[in-house]
Structures are given as structure tokens and as C-alpha cells.
């Protein structure tokens, strides 16, 4: 409290805060933010709150006028990217992006049911189809949130799990993919600091295993250490902030399925909504030219939500496109970043995909390999057991 008072005084007098004061104040507020419950006060993660409060407020304000909508819908992606950069730099895990995604889905569905369906232009079967798509997407997302393929920590080397959300950042010298597009920072083959590579007797030339100094184990080929989760993951692709988990061998298929269901459901919902509020125009034309959109507040709110959905859908569509291209060339996001860093890969399709050439066996074989991920338990060599 004294630091908070001192910080307010310094802010009013235009003086800078002492180093680390803002972080200590934020940590204290996060620790004391609790709600009463039968078994005792329950702590609330601070990163859950902003999307629940700010998203409806911003969308309702944006519906007041066209210029307000333009400013807010332009600034929202900038704010989200800024927060991602902040957490990326501090190497923190946060529920902000998962909370934003889930609450956005729920709020858009609420607006669709209460503002679009009552207008009478959406059939019951269309509502059922949209609802089923949403349910399937959430089911795939739930599966993607499960174990991505963590390697078991050897006995005697157990350490506190970082899968929960710590109040302070998880820091370490070992690298791994951080955020959606974070790159590894060390020079070992699999991107781990202070590690060394081992060749397995039963593996082909060029496929290596290496030692993780953080988990104290020998990692199989294509595995990597995530410095956010604090664990090694089989066939690590990246750490996705939108699911607050790694994408690896066991959940990569579910991740792609969740993205695909989201794209289909979102595009279908946007199309139904634009056909309702901008009748007589194709969805693409109505998205940019809908004269009656701001004739009343209800239509303005719906049109603003449509544009918000379109922005999110475009971003997720880009992520899905990169994922599909990587699968077609049998390269993970992590391997692509390492190849760029070491200048060992070649850019294809205008730089959208990086072909390392190490695991690429042709389109059909690459997709067959992806569809068979996690279908059988991995074989453990004598070196793994040691």
C-alpha cells in the first residue's frame, strides 16, 4: 500500500517510479484479487478480467458511430499484439489470450441469438448448424488443451511444474518456442542451451537425439524444451498463447481441427449475419458497403461485431494456412525458425514456408505421417531408458 501511495504521488508529480515498483504493485494486486466462496476466498487470475470487461465496452462504444468503430477496431489488434509482445519479452504465461478467445466466441454467439435471429431471416436449421460447429470447435479445443506429448521427467529430477500460471515470469537459460512465433536462442541442434547431441544406433544419418540440461533427459528427434511450460515436448511445434499450451505430437491434430472448425463456423456465422442486416448484397460487398448498418443501434452493434469477427477470422486463417503448409512439407514451426536462424532452410511460396529438407518425403507421405501422430506409443530405445 505504501508503494502504491508513493507511486500515485510520483505519477501526479510526473516523477518516474523506482525500478521494479510497478511489477511489485501488480503482483500484490493480483495476489489479493479474490472472491468469497464456500471453501474460502478463491483467487482470480488478473489476466482473465480485461477481456470480460473491455470487449463488450469497446464493441458497444464502437457501435455509436462509424468513426468510433473504425478507431476501436483498428486499435484492438494493436493492443493485443502489444500485450503479446510484453508477455513474450518477459517470458510469461498468461490466460489473457485464451480468455479473450473463449469470451469472444460466447459474446458473438449471444449477439447472434439476441440481435440477429429475432429479425426472422435466419432459419432454425441454420442456428442448429452454427451451434453444432461451435460445439465441435470447443470439443477439439478441449482436446488440444490436453497433454501435447510431454516427455516424462526422470526419477530424482522432479521439479515444480510450470503448467499452472505463476505470478512471476518463468525464466531460464534453455530455449524453446515462445509464443506463436518465438524462436530458439541457443546453438544446439534442437535449440537447447548447454546441451550436446547424441546419435542413436537405430536412427538414420542426420536424425539426432540430444540432452536437455533442464529436464535432465535424452530427447528423441524433433523434441524440444518449452521454456514457458518448463517441459520437453515430443515433436514440439510451438507454444500457442491462444490455448495457453504447447502444440506437440499428441495434440497437433486436435489443434488443426479446432482451427478448421473455427474458420468454418466463423465464416458461416458472418455470412448469415450479413445476409440479415444487409439484404440483397453478397457478404463480401456487404462487409464494406452496408448503407443501413448504422440506421439503428442494434444493427450498428451487429455490424461492429461482424467486423470484429472478420478481423479475428483473418488472423486465425493466416495461422491455419501456415500450419497446413508446414504439414505439407513436414516441418514444424520450431524447426522452421531454427532453419532461418542457422540459414539451413530455403524459403518457398514467398516465404510462407521454410523447407528444411530433413523430413520432407512428399505431400502424401507428409500428410500420412501427420495423420498418424500419436496413433501408437513411441518406441523407447535403450539410450532413452538409460
Amino acid at each position: 500500500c505504501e508503494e502504491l501511495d508513493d507511486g500515485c504521488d510520483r505519477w501526479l508529480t510526473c516523477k518516474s517510479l523506482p525500478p521494479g515498483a510497478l511489477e511489485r504493485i501488480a503482483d500484490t494486486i493480483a495476489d489479493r484479487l479474490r472472491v468469497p466462496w464456500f471453501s474460502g476466498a478463491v483467487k482470480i487470475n488478473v489476466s482473465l478480467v480485461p477481456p470480460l470487461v473491455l470487449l463488450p465496452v469497446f464493441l458497444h462504444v464502437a457501435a455509436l458511430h462509424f468513426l468510433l468503430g473504425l478507431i476501436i477496431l483498428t486499435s484492438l489488434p494493436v493492443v493485443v499484439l502489444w500485450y503479446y509482445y510484453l508477455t513474450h519479452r518477459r517470458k510469461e504465461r498468461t490466460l489473457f489470450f485464451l480468455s479473450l478467445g473463449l469470451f469472444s466466441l460466447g459474446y458473438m454467439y449471444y449477439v447472434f441469438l439476441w440481435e440477429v435471429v429475432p429479425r426472422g431471416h435466419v432459419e432454425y436449421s441454420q442456428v442448429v448448424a452454427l451451434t453444432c460447429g461451435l460445439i465441435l470447435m470447443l470439443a477439439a479445443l478441449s482436446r488440444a488443451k490436453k497433454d501435447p506429448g510431454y516427455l516424462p521427467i526422470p526419477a530424482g529430477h522432479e521439479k515444480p511444474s510450470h503448467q499452472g500460471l505463476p505470478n512471476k515470469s518463468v525464466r531460464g537459460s534453455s530455449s524453446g518456442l515462445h509464443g506463436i512465433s518465438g524462436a530458439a536462442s541457443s546453438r544446439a541442434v534442437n535449440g537447447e542451451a548447454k546441451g550436446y547431441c547424441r546419435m542413436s544406433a537405430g536412427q538414420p544419418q542426420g536424425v539426432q537425439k540430444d540432452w536437455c540440461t533442464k529436464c535432465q533427459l535424452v530427447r528423441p528427434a524433433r523434441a524440444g524444451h518449452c521454456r514457458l511450460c518448463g517441459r520437453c515436448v515430443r515433436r514440439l511445434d510451438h507454444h500457442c498463447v491462444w490455448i495457453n499450451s504447447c502444440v506437440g505430437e499428441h495434440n497437433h491434430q486436435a489443434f488443426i481441427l479446432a482451427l478448421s472448425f473455427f474458420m468454418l463456423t466463423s465464416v458461416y456465422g458472418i455470412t448469415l449475419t450479413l445476409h440479415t442486416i444487409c439484404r440483397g448484397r453478397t457478404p463480401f460487398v456487404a462487409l464494406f458497403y452496408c448503407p443501413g448498418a448504422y440506421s439503428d443501434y442494434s444493427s450498428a452493434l451487429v455490424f461492429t461485431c461482424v467486423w470484429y469477427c472478420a478481423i479475428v477470422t483473418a488472423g486465425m486463417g493466416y495461422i491455419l494456412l501456415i500450419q497446413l503448409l508446414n504439414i505439407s512439407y513436414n516441418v514444424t514451426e520450431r524447426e522452421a525458425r531454427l532453419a532461418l536462424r542457422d540459414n539451413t532452410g530455403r524459403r518457398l511460396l514467398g516465404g510462407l514456408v521454410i523447407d528444411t529438407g530433413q523430413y520432407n518425403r512428399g505431400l502424401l507421405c507428409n500428410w500420412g505421417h501427420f495423420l498418424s501422430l500419436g496413433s501408437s506409443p513411441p518406441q523407447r530405445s535403450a539410450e532413452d531408458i538409460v
Side-chain angles (χ1 to χ4, degrees), residues 151 159 172-177 183-197 209-220 222-228 230-233 236 334 338 341-342:
L151 290 173
K159 56 186 178 179
S173 60
S174 65
S175 66
L177 201 64
S185 60
S186 61
R187 303 302 298 178
V189 172
N190 274 339
E192 301 302 326
K194 301 179 182 178
Y196 59 90
C197 300
K209 295 184 177 184
D210 69 332
W211 176 259
C212 177
T213 58
K214 302 297 289 185
C215 297
Q216 295 293 299
L217 53 80
V218 178
R219 295 179 308 199
R222 310 190 77 176
H225 185 90
C226 176
R227 56 185 173 183
L228 276 80
R231 296 285 297 275
C232 284
V233 181
L236 175 63
R334 175 176 174 274
L338 290 175
R341 186 201 66 187
D342 298 333

Side-chain angles (χ1 to χ4, degrees), residues 64-216:
L64 294 175
H65 195 272
F66 170 75
L67 292 179
L68 284 174
L70 182 63
I71 294 173
I72 290 177
L73 291 175
T74 303
S75 61
L76 273 177
V78 176
V79 172
V80 172
L81 290 174
W82 170 81
Y83 187 73
Y84 166 74
Y85 169 77
L86 182 65
T87 54
H88 176 88
R89 186 180 61 181
R90 297 180 61 183
K91 302 179 180 66
E92 291 181 344
R93 293 188 68 187
T94 175
L95 285 173
F96 173 84
F97 299 97
L98 179 60
S99 173
L100 177 62
L102 292 178
F103 184 68
S104 296
L105 287 173
Y107 192 72
M108 295 304 106
Y109 187 67
Y110 165 80
V111 171
F112 180 80
L113 292 181
W114 288 93
E115 299 291 346
V116 179
V117 174
R119 296 172 182 256
H121 300 295
V122 179
E123 298 179 1
Y124 177 76
S125 59
Q126 293 174 324
V127 176
V128 172
L130 186 69
T131 304
C132 289
L134 185 62
I135 293 173
L136 290 174
M137 192 273 301
L138 292 176
L141 182 63
S142 176
R143 175 62 187 86
K145 283 282 295 173
K146 295 182 179 179
D147 179 16
Y150 292 120
L151 290 173
I153 299 177
H157 295 285
E158 282 82 1
K159 56 186 178 179
S161 175
H162 296 302
Q163 294 185 49
L165 290 177
N167 290 330
K168 297 184 179 179
S169 59
V170 179
R171 301 179 187 273
S173 60
S174 65
S175 66
L177 201 64
H178 180 262
I180 294 180
S181 60
S185 60
S186 61
R187 303 302 298 178
V189 172
N190 274 339
E192 301 302 326
K194 301 179 182 178
Y196 59 90
C197 300
R198 299 180 177 181
M199 289 295 297
S200 176
Q203 289 181 317
Q205 182 69 25
V207 179
Q208 298 175 328
K209 295 184 177 184
D210 69 332
W211 176 259
C212 177
T213 58
K214 302 297 289 185
C215 297
Q216 295 293 299

Side-chain angles (χ1 to χ4, degrees), residues 154 209 217-220 234 379-386:
K209 295 184 177 184
L217 53 80
V218 178
R219 295 179 308 199
R234 293 184 181 276
Q379 298 294 326
R380 299 185 64 188
S381 64
E383 187 178 24
D384 287 331
I385 298 176
V386 174

